Amino acid sequence: MRRAADLAGLVYALGWPLLNSSYNGFHEVAFAVPFTLLMLERGLAHRYGAAACWALMLCTAKEDMGLVVGAFGLVLAARAHRAGHGGGRATGIALALGGPLVSAAVIGWFLPVMGGPDGYYWSYGSLGADPGAALTHVLSSPWVLLQVAVTPLVKVGMPAWILGTLALLPLGSPTFLLAVPLLAERVLSDNPNHWPVINHYDAFLWPILLTAALETLGRLHGKHPRLFRRWAVTGTALASTAAVALGLVLFVQPGAWRAPDDRRALADAAELIPDGATVEADNAVAPRLTARTRVVIADATPRGADWVLLRVEGRTFPFTSLEEQQLRVAMLLDHGYTRVWQRDGSVLLQRTRRVPIPGMRVPGPDSTPVREAVPRDVGASLFRR
């Protein structure tokens, strides 16, 4: 059993969703993954108070985690009821009711109060313009759920890949119920960023799916030892192969051990920007400037900053094309900016003349976030960012 536990820990730690997430940079998933795992572990250990505490922490990680907590509450209440644990049943019922209410409050009240416009995170226009319209649409035409979930077909491949890399083992455990809200969010979404399996979104699922897979294997071990060995070997082999293909292969590629030339150029250019300046910066380098400048991510709207640092070779978020970035630099050069530095596809501009800039808007109290315009090639493949 010790070897089995060590192997399970290794498969978890080297899981392809975690490798992809680390490649994509820091994200709130860094909190959600351990909180989810600790919530599940404490629930299985019948430490219901601790499980509830971790569930509460999970709700603070991301606005939709309350849905996961709600599903966890249902599973916990059912298991505690079978075990005759009244406290666990009460805890599960409280989480099943409270989790979705927390998500509703965060999305409907807290985020707008913090400055997010109503509907900013709504990515389900195929179902309705807002949650109420979507519910009405689904109740009157329930088949629309299936239609949206399989269009385009890459949405079908996404859950097939996620579950297939664990040999479908998670489907054998009630814990899989926790993954249903997260999978539904993605297959019903209109945002192509949610469909590939190369971003950070799968990391939210990984502790749930691996726990469910291990629970399924645990039942097989007691009832069908021969079948247990076959499924265990298959699941381990598939998960390991996916980990190698989507992450571990980088360890044997020399280029993966050093920053790309364009990233190094951005970092060097950032050092040239004086403290206290206003900056519009490439998404990849903006965090380096937050401690000493007033920086915003360079996007579709010019802000009239003192300095602009942007790539002109290689598309960067949130621009939809490389041409758009190049046109931005050309427009700024024609309207008061001077190129002071350029290397490896990165350009640093300084505003030297105060002339009107077409489309300029300075962020202020009445500003609203600019909704991302997704490039057309995103979402066309499971394995392309």
Side-chain angles (χ1 to χ4, degrees), residues 116-137:
D118 290 340
Y120 182 77
Y121 292 100
W122 183 251
S123 300
Y124 306 94
S126 297
L127 298 178
D130 54 51
L135 180 60
T136 301
H137 190 190

Side-chain angles (χ1 to χ4, degrees), residues 35-67:
F35 290 167
T36 302
L37 193 62
L38 289 163
M39 177 184 72
L40 289 168
E41 188 277 333
R42 291 291 80 188
L44 291 170
H46 300 161
R47 300 294 297 274
Y48 301 118
C53 288
W54 288 116
L56 179 61
M57 293 295 294
L58 180 59
C59 287
T60 69
K62 195 168 180 285
E63 68 275 5
D64 57 350
M65 289 296 103
L67 302 178

Side-chain angles (χ1 to χ4, degrees), residues 171-197:
L171 296 174
S173 168
T175 297
F176 176 71
L177 182 64
L178 280 67
V180 171
L182 301 179
L183 288 171
E185 284 179 350
R186 294 171 64 185
V187 298
L188 296 176
S189 173
D190 299 328
N191 188 341
N193 283 310
H194 296 158
W195 309 336
V197 295

Side-chain angles (χ1 to χ4, degrees), residues 13-16 18-20 22-23 243-258:
L14 298 180
W16 61 269
L18 300 187
L19 295 172
N20 279 339
S22 64
Y23 180 85
V244 170
L246 295 185
L248 293 179
V249 68
L250 295 176
F251 285 94
V252 297
Q253 296 180 3
W257 290 89
R258 58 184 178 86

Side-chain angles (χ1 to χ4, degrees), residues 23 260-267 269 280-286 297-298 308-319 321-330 341-349:
Y23 180 85
D261 291 341
D262 61 340
R263 301 297 181 93
R264 291 205 304 271
L266 286 172
E280 296 171 62
D282 187 291
N283 180 59
V285 75
I297 295 174
V308 175
L309 176 54
L310 191 62
R311 277 177 285 182
V312 291
E313 296 177 11
R315 190 178 68 203
T316 184
F317 173 88
F319 292 93
S321 68
L322 176 59
E323 181 183 12
E324 187 180 0
Q325 296 160 223
Q326 294 169 342
L327 289 174
R328 164 62 64 78
V329 170
W341 189 93
Q342 182 168 357
R343 196 186 79 205
D344 294 326
S346 296
V347 177
L348 178 63
L349 308 180

